[in-house]
Amino acid sequence: MKSLMQTLTRSALAAALGVGLTATAIAADLKVGLSVSLSGPNSSLGVPYAKGMQAALAYKPEVNGRKIQLIVLDDGSDPTTAGRNARKLVEEDKVDVLMGTSGVPAAIAMAQVGRDAKVPMIGLTPIQLDAAENPWVFTVAQPTQLMIDAVVQRMKKDGVKSVGYIGFSDAWGDLVYNALMKSAPEAGIKVLGNERYARADASVTGQVLKLVAMKPDAVMTGGAGTPGALPFLALTERGFKGPVYGQHGLINPDFVRVVGASGQNALMPTGPVIVAEQLPEGYPTKKIAMDFRAAFQKVNNAPTSDAFSAYSFDGWLVFTDAAARAKGEPGTPEFRLSLRDAIASTKEVVGTHGVYNFKPGNLYGVDERARVIVKLDNGQWKLAP
């Protein structure tokens, strides 16, 4: 972890020095402030976010002749620290845009700073906020309802009539549960239970015992990262034989490593980037997804096998597209307002997870092109038939 921080710091410093040496020859810097969880329970998400952003910087390091400086801070998986980082990035580093972070509560804390400081924020996680009260905030993640609707459609296809729920005892767990409660009854599926656990918990045996006693046909999980593996492990220990469904918060290699055989045949939605090579020719996101994989491999000397690094890449694509259209000098309130308005008018920007179209009053910019159902098969994600 320390070496990653050092690498990120060196990268930001090198970018700053490069601009300093050529300040008379090019326009002012564009500054991007990224706060993610490089340590703590959300680091299995945060580290990929950071690596994906480094790939994005290498893929597109400037806009209209302006070099882009990336500044990265670790929030330690703590929402309070995430808010503090956002304020530092805005007030001390004078960034033009905020990006982050590795959990919904922390992203909300950052969004509040962006709103108050009038600095646009591109969220990398599915924030649930009132768009009218947060006109400076956007997210490249898929809205939770869009993804859970796909899961419920799959449940119906699989003949599920009742489903038990277990998820985090925080905003992410609420988002998944609320989305499930909205779509499951319409599909004729009864939701049994609402069991919760904290991200830092070591066991969910008690919660799983309650669920199993209700005898659901299937179980839906509302966790993320490595802590999201706990329900799968506990259900296997209790001998549960029904299907277990997840969601896009679980698409990362650390979850796959921890869940092991207990995750076999688990079904969940994700952006199409995770199975890019399995997509049919002509799929709108396939080419850029393969370009992303090549950029990630070159920068990180390893392949990407998660969904989260690609969110960073997509956030960068949305930002650079908008920055090319924004007016004024970076670092000024006028530029940040113009950048905000440019993001809000994004049209058909093709990313790895979906095709982005933003408009004022809408946090999200994707549609059904941003989701597929995948199955975990012997540690590999397979496009579900």
Side-chain angles (χ1 to χ4, degrees):
M1 195 65 63
K2 182 178 180 182
S3 61
L4 174 62
M5 285 293 291
Q6 290 171 339
T7 299
L8 295 171
T9 302
R10 283 198 299 269
S11 176
L13 180 59
L17 289 173
V19 169
L21 292 171
T22 59
T24 59
I26 65 172
D29 247 4
L30 286 160
K31 289 187 177 183
V32 175
L34 174 69
S35 178
V36 286
S37 303
L38 300 177
S39 59
N42 287 340
S43 61
S44 65
L45 312 184
V47 172
Y49 277 136
K51 289 183 176 180
M53 201 65 78
Q54 289 295 310
L57 175 62
Y59 181 79
K60 193 172 182 63
E62 63 178 56
V63 174
N64 293 345
R66 292 185 170 110
K67 297 287 185 181
I68 306 174
Q69 180 183 352
L70 174 63
I71 303 166
V72 183
L73 298 178
D74 177 18
D75 63 30
S77 302
D78 177 57
T80 301
T81 304
R84 190 181 307 121
N85 283 352
R87 195 159 299 283
K88 178 186 182 300
L89 290 166
V90 167
E91 295 178 354
E92 299 180 22
D93 297 305
K94 310 296 183 185
V95 299
D96 295 296
V97 63
L98 290 166
M99 292 195 195
T101 177
S102 315
V104 172
I108 291 173
M110 289 185 67
Q112 291 170 343
V113 174
R115 178 194 62 195
D116 295 344
K118 293 182 169 55
V119 174
M121 174 178 166
I122 298 176
L124 307 178
T125 192
I127 317 169
Q128 191 66 41
L129 293 169
D130 186 330
E133 295 179 1
N134 294 272
W136 292 84
V137 182
F138 309 87
T139 180
V140 291
Q142 298 92 337
T144 308
Q145 193 68 57
L146 179 74
M147 302 303 260
I148 302 307
D149 285 350
V151 176
V152 171
Q153 290 170 17
R154 181 69 193 206
M155 288 180 185
K156 186 175 182 180
K157 179 181 178 181
D158 292 343
V160 172
K161 299 298 183 183
S162 62
V163 59
Y165 179 75
I166 178 170
F168 285 159
S169 54
D170 62 19
W172 180 240
D174 292 343
L175 282 173
V176 177
Y177 178 73
N178 292 339
L180 181 66
M181 288 299 296
K182 182 176 180 180
S183 58
E186 296 175 358
I189 299 172
K190 185 176 181 180
V191 179
L192 304 176
N194 181 11
E195 296 299 320
R196 301 301 186 96
Y197 67 102
R199 292 175 187 250
D201 284 353
S203 172
V204 295
T205 299
Q207 295 94 319
V208 163
L209 283 171
K210 292 179 184 178
L211 278 186
V212 171
M214 297 177 191
K215 299 183 178 179
D217 294 337
V219 171
M220 176 71 196
T221 67
T226 50
L230 287 176
F232 292 83
L233 296 169
L235 285 164
T236 298
E237 290 173 358
R238 304 312 305 173
F240 183 75
K241 300 300 183 182
V244 183
Y245 299 85
Q247 28 58 43
H248 48 311
L250 299 174
I251 309 293
N252 71 85
D254 284 333
F255 166 78
V256 174
R257 173 181 56 80
V258 172
V259 79
S262 296
Q264 180 68 14
N265 294 323
L267 290 158
M268 55 196 74
T270 185
V273 62
I274 203 69
V275 287
E277 72 286 348
Q278 301 173 43
L279 297 172
E281 293 301 324
Y283 198 91
T285 63
K286 184 168 185 174
K287 182 182 183 302
I288 191 66
M290 299 308 291
D291 289 347
F292 157 67
R293 288 190 176 185
F296 188 98
Q297 175 73 44
K298 184 176 181 179
V299 170
N300 296 291
N301 295 314
T304 174
S305 56
D306 66 275
F308 300 96
S309 53
Y311 286 124
S312 293
F313 197 82
D314 284 3
W316 194 270
L317 294 177
V318 169
F319 158 66
T320 54
D321 173 79
R325 295 180 284 115
K327 307 299 182 184
E329 283 297 305
T332 65
E334 293 77 16
F335 179 80
R336 290 169 186 144
L337 176 60
S338 182
L339 179 62
R340 189 277 306 268
D341 293 343
I343 296 172
S345 62
T346 295
K347 300 294 183 186
E348 290 293 293
V349 170
V350 179
T352 66
H353 275 282
V355 181
Y356 295 93
N357 290 278
F358 286 103
K359 60 183 180 181
N362 190 356
L363 294 173
Y364 295 92
V366 294
D367 53 29
E368 285 78 6
R369 292 173 289 181
R371 68 183 190 187
V372 294
I373 294 290
V374 295
K375 180 174 71 171
L376 190 57
D377 183 14
N378 293 318
Q380 300 294 319
W381 299 111
K382 304 292 185 180
L383 186 63

